[in-house]
Structures are given as C-alpha cells and as structure tokens.
Amino acid sequence: ISNLGDAALYCDFGKEVNKKTNLKVIKYFKNLKEKKIEGIINLTPSYNKLIISFDLKITSFKEIKKELESLIISEDQSENSKRIIIPVCCADSFSLDIKRLESKLSMNRDKIYENFFNKDYFCYMTGFIAGMPFLGDLDKNLRANRLETPRVKVPKGSIGLTEQFANVYTFESPGGWNIIGNTPIKIFDNSKTENPNLISPGDIVTFKEISFNDYRNYNE
C-alpha cells in the first residue's frame, strides 16, 4: 500500500497479470465499494492494482491504510459474478483485420474463429473508454500485437484482439486492436445511472457467432 500523490494511494497485488491476482483486486474493490468509507471519492481497479482517491479534508493516507489492513476478504472469489453471452457477427464488413491475423498467426480464418468462440473469457477491468471490458485470456496461438498504425475510428460494437486480451468497443473511438467482428448489443448504456456497464470486472463472457441477417434484426 503506497502513496500516490497527496490525495490517493494504490494497492499493489503483484507484477503478474493473471486471473488469480485480478480476482484479489476485484474483491478489495467490491468490499470497499460496499463499505462506503467516509472520505473515499473514487476507486479504480486495474489488472493488478487498485487506486483509491480520497478527500484530504475528511480522511488521510494513514486512515485509509488502516481500513484496508482491517478488511476481511473471503476465499470465495466467484460470488456476484455474472455469465454473459455476447452475440458477434463476423461478416466481411465487420472483420476488418481477419486477413492480417491469418498472416500474423499463420492460421486460417475458420480456425481463428473456432478458437475464439470455444472459450470463456474473464473480465479483468473496464476502461480506456467508458465500459470497455478487457477480457482474458486468449489462447496463446491467437495472440497478436496491436496494429502498426491505429485507426482514427473504430466502429462501436467492434470486437478486438491484442496480446492476451479481447475487448468490445463501447463507442466509436480511435484504436489499434485487431477487429474480428461486431456485436449489436449495448455493452455500455449511459441512460442507466445505477449500473451502465453490461460487463463488470469478475464477470465471465462467452461470444456466440450470429449471421448478418440476425445482426440486422437483433432486438435486445
């Protein structure tokens, strides 16, 4: 537990980026959120760290550190997680980088999609743009670097791959992930003030392929 400037601290759970480490981050994040400690104004979980911002007029680093050290975290790390199925259309107009991946991975299109769809993905964190989930872990034979030149605009709903993660672009934005499809559903809904994220840290995600016709006619 270390200082991060005058009004924040971070909890470091280790250098490794894996599910076991991230589950600890998520557990502390959820416990602190539920406890509603006076003076804490923001909690930001990442792969292996938790950043806590606080109001210096109300509390201090020492007080927050004491609260953290007194937290009792259960061993059951699976509670409150959801299983979510995300429909994905892989039509040519949506699979912008499949040919690049065929070349980079030395694998044909059908095999790439077979490997991608036959797996559950764990949400490590959300961020970069509102509600964007970082989903691991891709099979090692599907891992590729980002695009050499990022796109100025990646369409909303795009499914991207890079390194050990998959993600879903919740808004049109710049980005350099390898795009292999698009989903018709809202991953982030800013009309919902209570919980706008469909996918939250700790959730399990499965992707399901749908046809272009099903995509066009999809109703949430």
Side-chain angles (χ1 to χ4, degrees), residues 180-191:
I180 63 165
N182 195 287
T183 181
I185 69 173
K186 279 186 178 180
I187 303 300
F188 181 84
D189 187 349
N190 52 16
S191 69

Side-chain angles (χ1 to χ4, degrees), residues 3-161:
N3 269 315
L4 186 63
D6 293 331
L9 60 84
Y10 71 93
C11 306
D12 191 336
F13 292 81
K15 293 181 180 180
E16 292 187 17
V17 176
N18 55 44
K19 185 176 177 180
K20 183 178 179 181
T21 298
N22 188 249
L23 279 167
K24 293 178 183 177
V25 177
I26 292 168
K27 199 69 179 177
Y28 272 83
F29 167 70
K30 288 182 176 179
N31 271 258
L32 286 170
K33 195 173 181 181
E34 290 169 4
K35 201 169 183 182
K36 296 179 180 179
I37 298 170
E38 188 178 13
I40 291 180
I41 55 178
N42 196 41
L43 298 166
T44 308
S46 70
Y47 300 129
N48 52 9
K49 292 180 177 59
L50 176 63
I51 296 174
I52 302 169
S53 303
F54 53 88
D55 187 339
L56 275 172
K57 296 176 183 177
I58 299 173
T59 188
S60 66
F61 169 78
K62 286 185 177 180
E63 289 176 5
I64 300 295
K65 185 172 183 287
K66 186 178 179 181
E67 290 278 3
L68 286 167
E69 290 171 339
S70 68
L71 279 179
I72 299 174
I73 305 298
S74 69
E75 291 300 315
D76 181 9
Q77 303 285 4
S78 61
E79 61 186 61
N80 299 323
S81 65
K82 306 188 298 290
R83 297 190 71 91
I84 301 162
I85 298 175
I86 303 296
V88 180
C89 178
C90 302
D92 289 344
S93 57
F94 294 141
S95 53
L96 307 180
D97 297 306
I98 193 64
K99 290 188 182 300
R100 177 182 188 272
L101 286 176
E102 284 183 306
S103 174
K104 293 287 184 181
L105 302 174
S106 300
M107 191 183 302
N108 66 41
R109 177 190 183 109
D110 289 345
K111 192 64 177 176
I112 290 172
Y113 284 121
E114 180 186 336
N115 288 355
F116 175 72
F117 284 112
N118 291 333
K119 187 174 178 63
D120 290 339
Y121 295 89
F122 175 81
C123 182
Y124 279 80
M125 58 177 281
T126 59
F128 176 61
I129 54 178
M132 176 186 277
F134 286 73
L135 307 168
D137 294 285
L138 286 174
D139 289 338
K140 289 184 178 180
N141 58 7
L142 287 186
R143 297 181 186 184
N145 293 330
R146 295 170 184 265
L147 303 183
E148 288 78 9
T149 304
R151 289 185 174 87
V152 176
K153 290 182 180 179
V154 177
K156 178 183 177 180
S158 292
I159 310 299
L161 310 180

